[in-house]
Amino acid sequence: MNNFSQQERDGVYKAIFSRRDVRAQFKQDPIPDDVLLRILKAAHHAPSVGFSQPWNFILIKDLETKRKVKESFNEERERSSKLIDDPKRSAYLALKLEGILDAPVNLCITYDPTKFGPFVIGRTSISETGVYSVCCAIQNLWLAARAEGVGVGWVSILSNNDLREILQLPDHIEPIAYLTMGYVTHFEEKPDLERTGWLPRLPLNNVVYFEKWGARDGNGWQKLQTELNGS
Amino acid sequence: MNNFSQQERDGVYKAIFSRRDVRAQFKQDPIPDDVLLRILKAAHHAPSVGFSQPWNFILIKDLETKRKVKESFNEERERSSKLIDDPKRSAYLALKLEGILDAPVNLCITYDPTKFGPFVIGRTSISETGVYSVCCAIQNLWLAARAEGVGVGWVSILSNNDLREILQLPDHIEPIAYLTMGYVTHFEEKPDLERTGWLPRLPLNNVVYFEKWGARDGNGWQKLQTELNGS
């Protein structure tokens, strides 16, 4: 059980490399319950600090709720567009940045710091690790969805205060992600912001250091460094 | 290319469900460069807010560095143990919580909020989304490693100030995760803290709500709710 077949391993990399942050390609077809269950279970099996499983998943289909969230998006998008000038501003406003009303299912993932607390193993030195666990669950969900042919888009141009009010979150609960989910007409080859020329993908050797910050070579890393530069 | 074969999909779920936070099972065998490269590339293809790719990966083999990090762990473990009383304290101190010196490769993953900034699309309303992107990269790395048969352990009982000093991080760089990596004798069936009875796995229906916080049923969700309760 420990070893992966070539095809199983390929499946993992395929999910990782072909996963997209979907905004424009949602179809209305409902996601079957068994598919949704598998995706949620995948999220629930993420690593969590001290096995605290500090996440909750709020599934949303209600049109009225989606409309309120969309309103929050519109306000935040307008507000943030004022931070930049033309031509960047116009380019920003021309981008399709969410599919809240297009996606059949919306999903808010939250963090509950009180779960199994107050003493959570591994969270006593770096308290943020609780939130980090929730993010790992989000990525599990995203990859499982991709393997099921379900697209996921993370809408972060939102007011968390609005989300709290709309979803009636208690004060101690922190909204971490608002996701839109559904089948798609297709998955794009590349991320939208790369495809449209907003930003380039960094070469891998740009983000890897050896032994300490900023070091492009290190004892015993020469071969990997050469391969990195050629990759 | 959009559809997954049954085996590819199974591979994704296998990685998700058999991934472990490894502490005690590391072997000394080196991780080949091509394997390490694939794992790092998987991390680099995580979603990132505004395509900001705000992560850096510091690979560590140097024994002196590992020893300093282990010292930080020892201090933090001692400090945190004072937060609880016996018998919990003894149980805590008996747990194997890191494999810093056992794992051939250590890896610090950091967050750089200045990358492609200051205006990062999608980060203008919720600034924490930059860190969330780094966590998604960590989970990609973890799953790719699992598919390669490489174990990963996240050591969070550490002082970030110590990490900053040991790895010479600039002030604006935030350490997010300190990971230990290597081949393993085996992957445990269940998470250590579940296996040893520290905490139980929550039933999936415990963490899922419908339409708003706390709601165990919702319009149009009856069938899923029934399946959830039976799962």
Side-chain angles (χ1 to χ4, degrees):
Chain A
M1 260 308 286
N2 273 342
N3 290 329
F4 277 59
S5 70
Q6 182 66 41
Q7 275 170 303
E8 288 172 333
R9 203 185 73 179
D10 288 351
V12 174
Y13 283 118
K14 184 171 168 176
I16 286 172
F17 293 124
S18 69
R19 179 208 51 76
R20 288 291 160 267
D21 199 335
V22 174
R23 280 108 209 313
Q25 294 85 26
F26 286 113
K27 296 198 292 184
Q28 290 301 310
D29 314 48
I31 306 172
D33 288 341
D34 58 328
V35 175
L36 210 42
L37 268 182
R38 284 199 295 269
I39 294 172
L40 290 169
K41 193 178 167 199
H44 186 47
H45 279 251
S48 64
V49 62
F51 205 52
S52 55
Q53 308 158 70
W55 40 65
N56 283 92
F57 306 92
I58 308 175
L59 290 162
I60 296 150
K61 267 193 220 175
D62 186 66
L63 189 57
E64 199 45 48
T65 303
K66 290 180 182 174
R67 277 198 186 121
K68 286 179 191 160
V69 175
K70 176 73 185 255
E71 232 170 84
S72 179
F73 165 82
N74 285 339
E75 282 166 25
E76 291 298 311
R77 174 168 166 272
E78 177 64 21
R79 203 179 57 75
S80 57
S81 74
K82 290 175 182 153
L83 299 169
I84 40 176
D85 299 317
D86 269 330
K88 213 172 176 183
R89 181 166 190 265
S90 309
Y92 172 63
L93 289 171
L95 291 166
K96 166 91 171 151
L97 294 173
E98 54 71 44
I100 298 166
L101 297 174
D102 313 323
V105 174
N106 288 194
L107 173 58
C108 183
I109 305 185
T110 57
Y111 169 55
D112 180 353
T114 68
K115 214 180 273 190
F116 292 124
F119 183 83
V120 170
I121 289 190
R123 209 183 64 185
T124 47
S125 299
I126 306 168
S127 63
E128 295 89 341
T129 47
V131 171
Y132 299 170
S133 305
V134 179
C135 297
C136 289
I138 294 165
Q139 187 62 5
N140 264 13
L141 180 146
W142 215 329
L143 294 172
R146 180 60 192 87
E148 299 280 1
V150 171
V152 173
W154 184 328
V155 185
S156 64
I157 303 175
L158 284 179
S159 149
N160 272 341
N161 282 340
D162 290 346
L163 276 187
R164 289 180 171 287
E165 205 178 298
I166 297 167
L167 301 175
Q168 303 180 26
L169 304 185
D171 286 347
H172 70 286
I173 299 297
E174 201 176 324
I176 304 299
Y178 192 87
L179 307 179
T180 52
M181 297 173 66
Y183 289 105
V184 295
T185 55
H186 62 285
F187 289 93
E188 296 285 354
E189 276 282 307
K190 293 184 172 188
D192 287 354
L193 295 179
E194 181 181 14
R195 206 166 36 87
T196 56
W198 183 271
L199 282 180
R201 161 91 57 194
L202 292 170
L204 185 54
N205 66 5
N206 184 283
V207 296
V208 177
Y209 294 135
F210 300 101
E211 303 297 344
K212 63 177 191 221
W213 179 267
R216 297 285 179 194
D217 48 25
N219 221 347
W221 291 109
Q222 289 82 355
K223 216 172 127 249
L224 182 69
Q225 198 211 347
T226 307
E227 287 187 36
L228 252 182
N229 291 340
S231 73
Chain B
M1 260 307 285
N2 273 344
N3 290 329
F4 277 59
S5 70
Q6 183 65 41
Q7 277 171 303
E8 288 172 332
R9 205 186 70 178
D10 288 350
V12 173
Y13 284 117
K14 183 170 170 177
I16 286 172
F17 294 124
S18 69
R19 179 208 51 75
R20 288 292 161 266
D21 199 335
V22 175
R23 280 107 209 312
Q25 295 84 26
F26 286 113
K27 297 197 292 184
Q28 291 300 309
D29 315 47
I31 306 172
D33 289 339
D34 57 328
V35 175
L36 210 42
L37 268 182
R38 283 198 295 269
I39 294 173
L40 290 168
K41 194 178 166 196
H44 186 47
H45 279 252
S48 64
V49 61
F51 205 53
S52 55
Q53 308 158 71
W55 40 66
N56 283 92
F57 306 92
I58 307 176
L59 290 161
I60 297 150
K61 267 194 221 177
D62 185 66
L63 188 58
E64 199 44 49
T65 303
K66 289 179 183 173
R67 278 198 186 120
K68 286 179 191 160
V69 175
K70 175 74 184 253
E71 233 170 83
S72 178
F73 166 82
N74 285 338
E75 282 166 25
E76 291 298 311
R77 174 168 165 272
E78 178 64 20
R79 202 179 58 74
S80 57
S81 73
K82 291 172 181 154
L83 299 170
I84 40 175
D85 299 317
D86 270 329
K88 212 172 176 186
R89 181 166 190 263
S90 308
Y92 172 63
L93 288 171
L95 291 166
K96 166 90 172 153
L97 293 172
E98 54 72 43
I100 298 165
L101 297 173
D102 313 323
V105 173
N106 287 194
L107 172 59
C108 183
I109 304 184
T110 58
Y111 169 53
D112 181 353
T114 67
K115 215 180 271 189
F116 291 125
F119 183 84
V120 170
I121 288 188
R123 208 182 66 185
T124 46
S125 298
I126 306 169
S127 64
E128 295 87 342
T129 47
V131 171
Y132 299 169
S133 304
V134 178
C135 298
C136 289
I138 294 165
Q139 187 61 5
N140 263 13
L141 179 147
W142 214 329
L143 295 171
R146 181 61 191 87
E148 299 280 0
V150 171
V152 172
W154 184 328
V155 185
S156 63
I157 303 176
L158 284 179
S159 148
N160 272 341
N161 282 340
D162 290 346
L163 275 187
R164 289 180 170 287
E165 203 178 299
I166 297 166
L167 301 174
Q168 303 179 26
L169 304 185
D171 286 346
H172 70 286
I173 299 297
E174 201 176 325
I176 304 300
Y178 192 86
L179 307 179
T180 52
M181 296 173 67
Y183 289 105
V184 295
T185 55
H186 62 284
F187 289 93
E188 296 285 356
E189 275 282 308
K190 291 182 172 189
D192 287 355
L193 295 179
E194 183 182 12
R195 206 164 38 86
T196 58
W198 183 272
L199 283 181
R201 160 90 58 194
L202 293 171
L204 185 55
N205 66 5
N206 184 283
V207 297
V208 176
Y209 294 135
F210 299 101
E211 301 298 343
K212 63 178 188 219
W213 180 267
R216 297 285 179 195
D217 47 25
N219 221 347
W221 292 108
Q222 288 83 354
K223 215 171 129 248
L224 183 69
Q225 200 212 347
T226 307
E227 288 188 35
L228 251 181
N229 291 341
S231 73

